Every structure is written in structure tokens, then in C-alpha cells.
Amino acid sequence: MRDVSIVGIGQTPVGEHWEKPLRILGSEAVLFALNHAGLDRTEALYVGNMLSGQLSRQQNLGALIADHAGMRGIEAIKVEAACASGAAALRMAYIAVAGGIHDIVVACGVEKMTDSLSNRTSSALATAADALYEGDHGLTFVALNALLMQRYLHEYGYQRADFAGFSINAHHNAVHNPNAMFRRAISVGSFERAPMIASPVSLLDSSGIGDGAAAVVLMPTEMARTHGLRGVRIAGSAVATDSVALHDRRDPMFLRACALSTQRALAQASLRPEHIDFFELHDAFTIMAALSLEACGFAKKGEGVRMAMEDEISLVGKLPVCTMGGLKARGHPVGATGLYQAVEAVQQLLGLAGENQLQGCRVGMTQNIGGSGANAITHIFERID
Amino acid sequence: MRDVSIVGIGQTPVGEHWEKPLRILGSEAVLFALNHAGLDRTEALYVGNMLSGQLSRQQNLGALIADHAGMRGIEAIKVEAACASGAAALRMAYIAVAGGIHDIVVACGVEKMTDSLSNRTSSALATAADALYEGDHGLTFVALNALLMQRYLHEYGYQRADFAGFSINAHHNAVHNPNAMFRRAISVGSFERAPMIASPVSLLDSSGIGDGAAAVVLMPTEMARTHGLRGVRIAGSAVATDSVALHDRRDPMFLRACALSTQRALAQASLRPEHIDFFELHDAFTIMAALSLEACGFAKKGEGVRMAMEDEISLVGKLPVCTMGGLKARGHPVGATGLYQAVEAVQQLLGLAGENQLQGCRVGMTQNIGGSGANAITHIFERID
């Protein structure tokens, strides 16, 4: 296997892109990323997307976006793993370059969620759950996360307000991210006053619904060096799965797929959790942030939320998370999110994170979660000196 | 890159599986294939599917099927390329094994199309077309193929009845395939009397709507040899794309993605079209069969249909096609089709094709087409002596 680097990144702002169909959003991100790398072509394109068939009545985004990016003819395929579709596209691109099948590959994630009646979006998102045991009975994704959060509060004795730190940190970090959807800080007070969606999950525990696309260009590290391209190594890449239905897990408070994929990615990178300088985690809901920190080995069981309470996750904390706003405030266009995370990790490691730049960071981790932990895709990125 | 072989195949019958949800159909095929290979596990699973989000309100089939096959935890991802989703899953599995990322990978295709009102199925299938230029204006897939067929008749001066040979051959070959959906022969008379769907495409020009799943197990050829497993080499694997919208092609009578992916697969295999002993082509409609034969280099432009008229495609013809019934008569559960094709190619090359066994075949080709030629995925399989 070859060592692989990301040599180009591209993203559109996350927001309500009423004027741009999927093909335009996606091809913009692809062309931004290629342009950033100084390239004008790719051998293959893997597109992460979850909802286009349901919300835009458009499948086959691989061919569609390749064509609209001016690259008709190339290999192009869409991959889907619910909300982890973006990282799944990155994973496929990594496999193709690491394995020597292609030298230059673009992974793109794109999602358009606002261009639809909102109840259709919630209903489409529920297809990430188990249709027979959850979705068909009316459980939305907010409801599933509410069940998890309620259990967490009960099991470990926390209050709703203890989760505020996750959202406050995310919103704080989004203020200086020009591509973030919610560029305003929030206070403990506004978190506490936020309207309830599905108790105990409030509006400010939840990531919003938005449109967006992000992309990265992959190349063998050796080739990047030969071409004088500045890149970031992919030191680890791993996928793991769990049951789709929540009720079918021995312990719903333990995200086994997150644990497994983190262990695999760390083993590939020959690293331990303490080597991770920052973590772009999957804070679709605050409870997911807490459970992810625990499963990945950054906090003990039942203590993930303490990292937010004790301010360990801020830009100057022990483990900065969601450094550009995370899913909560940068936004969560589901199939694109995994690639926004990768783009932001590269920004930090190349010193391109502007006001949010972490000093001296060398290793960043991203984790994209599908469903309520049905799959987790973890990548570890390392600065090249 | 490592040489890769298929060491196990599995399939369910194609039909109306009202009693089996996607997870059961898919995991049956996966377990049949592993069992055929004498294995009890896989490192990764790539699932091809197009319509589950729209018709079964279930996404994230990778995790779901991995779990129901008893392999919770493994890497599992869904891939989609419209009706070429099955071959896209095979392509991903090939890349992962050839590149040395995994040693044992299962590619599975699964689709459930009957468990829905039929107008929802047609409408869901139309998402393979270009939503903005085709689907949103009411063009179904039959209508798109009718436009192509009408143009073909006009351009080259054929009659509708000239296409009969494709369907007659497919139905003939399905009679002895226990997994085929339509196991009855048809005559020229029944072809001519078939009800019109979208002129000039009749019921007997069209593949039916069905449910089904098929799977293959991939492994490095060297490892298969070491373990004493009997397999078939994947000598070529290639994906190519074209515009999704028909109007946007210089020549709608030329399926450029089919041509490109065939050229790439043949080049990888160091073969020419005349080396192909049989061809599992994508006869979703008879016009697709004719255009595919032309684009792939088996017939001159405007003469693809002659191969059916002159009986060159039968089991004893110059180039047998659809040897187990093809999409027309084995059935076309869209996201599974590419894997049925692969399973059938392996059956022929291992001498497992029963009454339909081709004598002395060494090299078989499969081609799975997404949309009306928006993508084509071609694989070449070679017998190991």
C-alpha cells in the first residue's frame, strides 16, 4: 500500500442554496479542490451523498457531477453510508490511491436538504434508521437521539444544561469560518432557553438542515513530493459498523462502531488517543459528541460530557473539537459532512484555519457517524514536515 | 496491484419476494456466496443498491446487511450508480482486494422493487435520469429508451420486429435458470403481439420489475490457490461515464461510456473483443442490447440488431449473450443486476451453468449500464486452468 496525501481542498458555504442544484454545488467543490492543488483533472471521482434520490429525485450523482465538472468519461461512483456518506467517499478514494489503482482521485460530498418541504427532509433522514424497527414507527432522528440523551442523563446523573458546552464551543468556532451556516456565538442562557424539539433534545443540541459540498484531492505522498505539492498525510483510515437499530445493542451508551474504527485507524497510524491534537467529531446532536468522545477513548464512560463542562474542547483546550464550527454550527449537509471535516482538518494542519488556527498541531482526527452509530468512519491526518 | 479472483457466488431467485425485506434478501446472497467459497467471514462488504431509500425507506444497507449476515463490526458501505450499482459494488470490492487493503471482500447487490405501488417504482427509477432535463418533465425510463429506439429505427431503417431476437434469446436461456423470473420461451408472434408501453418499446422489449440479491466473494488469486479454492480471475475492471441527459450527447446512438469502459477493461486484460467468448450485456431494453454491442466493438454502428436477427447471440452463436436469461428474462432488480451478471459469468467459466453451459468458454465479459448510458461498468472474467 502506498502512502496517500490530500493535496487540495474545496468547499462551498453551508447554507440555503436555493439557486444551485446538486450538480453545481458538487462540481464547484470538486473544481475548488483541484484548483487548490493546481491540477485540472482527476482520474476518478467518488461522491458521498445520502438524500438526493428522495429529496431531489436525482440519483447517479457520480456521473452527473463528473460531467458538470467538465470530466465526462472518468470513473465516477456515488457511495452512501447515511450521514457518514462523505467519509465513505473519502474512504473509497483512499483505497483506490493507496492500492495503486489510481494516482489522482477526488472525493466529494454533496447534499441539498433545504429545497424540499421540511417534513420530507425529516422523513428522508429517518431512512438512516432501521425502517422496520424504528423509521416505520415514526421515530425521527431527533427522537432517536432524545432516547439516547434521556438514557445518558438517567444513567449518569447529568442535567440537560451540562451539554451546553458542546454547542457553545461549536458556535464560537463558527464565527470566523466564512463557510459556516451559523456564524454567531451563543450563551449558556440561550442554550437553556432554546425551544425543545424532542425532550431532552432542544434546538441548540441539534445540527441544522443545510445544503453544501466539500471535496478533497488525493494523491500518493511520493508523487505529491515529486510535484512539489503541499499536502497532509492520511495516516489512518477505517470503517466499522454496528446494528442499525438502537434496541439491538448490548449497551446503547457505547458506540461500538466508533470505538472499532478509531482503534483500527490509530493502529494503522501507530498512534494512541493522546497523540491526537484535535478532533473533528460528529456532533449532529450534543449526545453524539459525548458518546463519540467516550467510545474513541478520549473520555471514560459517562464522562464525555465533562470535557464540555470543563472546557477541554475549546481551541485552547486539551482536545479541541469542531474547530471550524462542527456539525452544529458549520452545518450538517449530511452526505457532505465527512468531507467538510476532512477539509477542516487539512486547514488546521496546513495553517489555513485563520482566526481558529491551532498552534503547533501535528495530528488531527475526523469521525463521521452514520445513523445512530450504525457506522463510523475515522480518518487520521498528519502534517508533513 | 494483486491479481484477484472470485471464489464464491450466491444468488436468490429473482421474483416477487413479498415475505423478505431487503436485509434478508441481501444477507442470504452474502451467506450463499461465502458458503460456496467455504468461508465464514469477510473483511468488508460493499452493497450495490439504487432504490431502497425511495421504495423501502431504508438507507445505510451496508451496515444493515453486514449485521444481518452476522458480521456486525466489519467495514460495510453502499455504492450507487443507478442501474449499474451492482457492478459498482463489484468494482469497489475489486479495488480493495487488488490494492491490498483487504484480502477477503464480498460484493453484494440487492433490490426490492415490487413491494411498492408500481407508479412509485417507475417514478423512483426515473431518478436515474437527469432530474432537471428529463425526470422532472415526466420522462420515464421506458420513454427514454423509446426515444432511442425510435431514432435507431429511423436512422438505420429497421422494423420493430427486428429486435425480437434479443428477447427470444433471453427468454429461451431463462427456461433452465432456476433463479430466473420469467422461465418461459416466447415466439416471434408473441413478441409482435406484445402490448405497447411507449412506442416503439413493447412489454417484450423491456425487462420486468423484480426483487433479488446476488453476491460474489473476492480474494487475491494467489491466496485462493494457496487455500485450494477454485475461482475465476477478474482480468479487467473499468468504469466510464457520459452525460446523464440524453440530449447532451453528440451522438445519442453511440454509448460512449460503454465504449470507454470496454476499451479500458480489454486493455487491462490485454485482450481484444474477438477474445470474448460470451457477453452478459445490459438488456434492460432491446435497444440497449443493440447499442451496447455496437459501442463495445462487437458490431458496427447500426448493425447491433443484426446480431439478434442472424442468431449470432444464442448459446451456440458467435457471441452468446444473456446466457442465463439476461435482464429481460432472469430479471432486473436494478441494484442487484451487475452481480447477477458476475455470478452467471462465473457459472459459465466454472462449468456450473447446467443446461445452458457453453462449451470450452475461457473468457466472459459483463457490462452493467447506469441510466441511459450515463455510466458503464465492464468486467472481464477469465477461467483459471
Side-chain angles (χ1 to χ4, degrees):
Chain A
M1 276 172 49
R2 306 189 291 185
D3 201 85
V4 178
S5 287
I6 291 182
V7 296
I9 54 176
Q11 59 184 320
T12 73
V14 179
E16 302 197 10
H17 291 288
W18 293 85
E19 77 295 3
K20 290 184 186 173
L22 281 160
R23 64 193 73 192
I24 302 298
L25 278 177
S27 55
E28 278 185 2
V30 169
L31 294 174
F32 289 160
L34 283 168
N35 186 53
H36 180 236
L39 299 169
D40 58 8
R41 67 179 188 95
T42 176
E43 295 169 16
L45 170 68
Y46 301 116
V47 175
N49 172 272
M50 176 185 171
L51 301 169
S52 74
Q54 291 165 270
L55 296 183
S56 303
R57 305 211 51 73
Q58 179 69 68
Q59 297 272 31
N60 213 354
L61 292 189
L64 189 74
I65 292 173
D67 188 21
H68 280 264
M71 287 171 281
R72 192 182 287 189
I74 63 164
E75 169 162 357
I77 292 174
K78 187 191 105 174
V79 302
E80 188 264 330
C83 308
S85 299
L90 175 59
R91 170 68 177 160
M92 291 301 185
Y94 172 78
I95 289 176
V97 177
I101 282 76
H102 292 296
D103 285 333
I104 304 176
V105 176
V106 172
C108 168
V110 59
E111 203 74 73
K112 208 164 154 51
M113 302 168 74
T114 62
D115 214 347
S116 162
L117 297 176
S118 68
N119 62 343
R120 273 187 67 201
T121 304
S122 284
S123 148
L125 282 169
T127 61
D130 188 308
L132 304 186
Y133 293 99
E134 298 172 336
D136 287 358
H137 305 283
L139 265 183
T140 63
F141 248 81
V142 189
L144 280 165
N145 279 274
L147 291 172
L148 283 172
M149 189 168 171
Q150 185 62 51
R151 182 78 204 169
Y152 194 95
L153 298 180
H154 168 79
E155 191 110 4
Y156 305 120
Y158 292 103
Q159 304 300 313
R160 271 199 63 244
D162 296 334
F163 285 78
F166 288 117
S167 299
I168 291 169
N169 173 64
H171 276 264
H172 174 268
N173 294 348
V175 170
H176 295 289
N177 177 1
N179 294 301
M181 188 167 186
F182 301 119
R183 298 183 64 187
R184 59 172 187 278
I186 61 167
S187 64
V188 175
S190 53
F191 182 87
E192 286 176 352
R193 286 187 307 272
M196 195 57 68
I197 303 181
S199 175
V201 172
S202 81
L203 187 68
L204 289 181
D205 286 296
S206 316
S207 54
I209 282 173
D211 312 327
V216 298
V217 185
L218 280 70
M219 183 186 275
T221 304
E222 188 55 42
M223 181 183 288
R225 196 171 291 134
T226 312
H227 288 66
L229 294 175
R230 204 157 156 248
V232 163
R233 285 186 65 220
I234 299 180
S237 168
V239 181
T241 50
D242 199 348
S243 72
V244 174
L246 263 186
H247 74 268
D248 207 19
R249 298 182 194 159
R250 189 177 299 261
D251 177 3
M253 293 291 98
F254 178 61
L255 298 178
R256 185 164 173 263
C258 293
L260 278 177
S261 71
T262 303
Q263 286 157 17
R264 290 174 192 165
L266 285 169
Q268 185 189 348
S270 302
L271 294 172
R272 290 192 305 273
E274 57 267 33
H275 295 127
I276 304 297
D277 293 320
F278 65 97
F279 181 22
E280 297 301 333
L281 56 69
H282 191 93
D283 57 327
F285 297 93
T286 51
I287 179 66
M288 275 288 133
L291 293 176
S292 162
L293 286 166
E294 295 173 17
C296 299
F298 296 114
K300 289 197 188 130
K301 207 147 174 291
E303 298 188 3
V305 74
R306 285 202 179 279
M307 292 185 71
M309 293 163 73
E310 291 163 14
D311 207 23
E312 293 181 356
I313 59 170
S314 74
L315 294 177
V316 294
K318 196 176 97 182
L319 182 74
V321 310
C322 305
T323 67
M324 302 300 280
L327 282 61
K328 175 67 200 80
R330 171 243 296 128
H332 181 29
V334 289
T337 290
L339 281 153
Y340 276 100
Q341 293 177 317
V343 163
E344 291 158 0
V346 171
Q347 286 180 311
Q348 288 292 358
L349 293 165
L350 288 182
L352 302 174
E355 300 272 344
N356 292 2
Q357 184 62 51
L358 302 171
Q359 296 311 311
C361 60
R362 298 188 43 84
V363 181
M365 185 166 116
T366 60
Q367 185 168 78
N368 199 191
I369 301 178
S372 40
N375 26 32
I377 308 184
T378 305
H379 284 90
I380 296 173
F381 301 91
E382 196 166 23
R383 200 174 76 199
I384 303 173
D385 291 315
Chain B
M1 276 171 50
R2 305 191 290 187
D3 201 84
V4 178
S5 287
I6 291 182
V7 297
I9 53 176
Q11 58 185 320
T12 73
V14 180
E16 302 197 8
H17 291 288
W18 294 85
E19 77 292 5
K20 289 184 185 173
L22 281 161
R23 65 192 74 193
I24 301 298
L25 279 177
S27 56
E28 277 186 2
V30 168
L31 294 173
F32 289 160
L34 283 168
N35 187 53
H36 180 238
L39 299 170
D40 59 7
R41 66 177 189 98
T42 176
E43 295 169 15
L45 170 68
Y46 300 117
V47 175
N49 172 272
M50 178 186 169
L51 301 169
S52 74
Q54 291 166 270
L55 296 183
S56 303
R57 306 211 51 73
Q58 180 69 70
Q59 297 273 31
N60 213 353
L61 293 188
L64 189 74
I65 293 174
D67 187 21
H68 280 264
M71 287 171 283
R72 192 181 288 190
I74 64 165
E75 169 162 357
I77 291 174
K78 187 189 104 174
V79 301
E80 187 265 331
C83 308
S85 299
L90 175 57
R91 169 69 177 160
M92 290 300 186
Y94 172 78
I95 290 176
V97 178
I101 283 75
H102 291 297
D103 285 333
I104 304 175
V105 176
V106 173
C108 168
V110 59
E111 203 75 72
K112 207 164 156 52
M113 302 167 72
T114 62
D115 214 348
S116 161
L117 298 176
S118 67
N119 62 343
R120 272 188 66 201
T121 304
S122 285
S123 147
L125 282 169
T127 60
D130 188 309
L132 303 187
Y133 292 99
E134 298 172 334
D136 286 358
H137 306 282
L139 266 181
T140 64
F141 248 82
V142 189
L144 279 166
N145 279 273
L147 291 173
L148 282 172
M149 189 168 172
Q150 185 60 51
R151 182 78 204 170
Y152 194 94
L153 298 180
H154 169 78
E155 191 112 5
Y156 304 122
Y158 292 103
Q159 303 300 312
R160 270 200 63 244
D162 296 334
F163 285 79
F166 287 118
S167 299
I168 291 169
N169 172 65
H171 275 265
H172 174 269
N173 294 348
V175 170
H176 295 290
N177 177 1
N179 295 301
M181 189 166 185
F182 302 118
R183 300 184 61 185
R184 58 174 188 278
I186 61 167
S187 64
V188 175
S190 53
F191 182 86
E192 285 174 353
R193 288 188 304 274
M196 195 55 70
I197 302 180
S199 176
V201 172
S202 83
L203 188 67
L204 288 181
D205 287 296
S206 316
S207 54
I209 281 173
D211 312 327
V216 298
V217 184
L218 280 70
M219 183 186 276
T221 304
E222 188 55 42
M223 182 183 287
R225 196 172 289 134
T226 312
H227 288 67
L229 295 176
R230 203 158 157 248
V232 163
R233 284 186 65 221
I234 299 180
S237 169
V239 181
T241 49
D242 198 347
S243 73
V244 173
L246 263 187
H247 75 270
D248 206 19
R249 297 180 196 162
R250 190 178 299 261
D251 177 3
M253 292 291 98
F254 178 62
L255 297 178
R256 185 164 174 263
C258 293
L260 277 177
S261 71
T262 304
Q263 287 157 16
R264 290 174 192 165
L266 285 170
Q268 185 190 349
S270 301
L271 294 172
R272 290 191 303 274
E274 57 267 34
H275 295 126
I276 304 298
D277 294 322
F278 65 97
F279 182 23
E280 297 301 334
L281 56 69
H282 191 93
D283 58 327
F285 297 93
T286 51
I287 180 64
M288 273 287 132
L291 293 176
S292 162
L293 286 167
E294 296 173 18
C296 299
F298 296 114
K300 289 195 189 130
K301 211 149 173 289
E303 298 187 3
V305 74
R306 285 202 180 279
M307 293 185 70
M309 292 163 74
E310 291 162 15
D311 207 24
E312 293 181 355
I313 59 170
S314 75
L315 293 177
V316 294
K318 196 176 97 182
L319 182 73
V321 310
C322 305
T323 67
M324 302 301 280
L327 282 60
K328 175 67 200 81
R330 171 243 295 128
H332 182 30
V334 289
T337 290
L339 282 153
Y340 276 101
Q341 293 176 316
V343 164
E344 291 159 359
V346 171
Q347 286 181 310
Q348 288 292 359
L349 294 165
L350 289 182
L352 302 174
E355 299 272 343
N356 292 3
Q357 184 62 50
L358 302 172
Q359 296 310 311
C361 60
R362 297 187 45 82
V363 180
M365 185 165 116
T366 60
Q367 184 168 79
N368 200 191
I369 301 178
S372 40
N375 27 33
I377 308 183
T378 305
H379 284 91
I380 297 174
F381 302 92
E382 197 167 22
R383 200 173 76 198
I384 303 173
D385 290 314

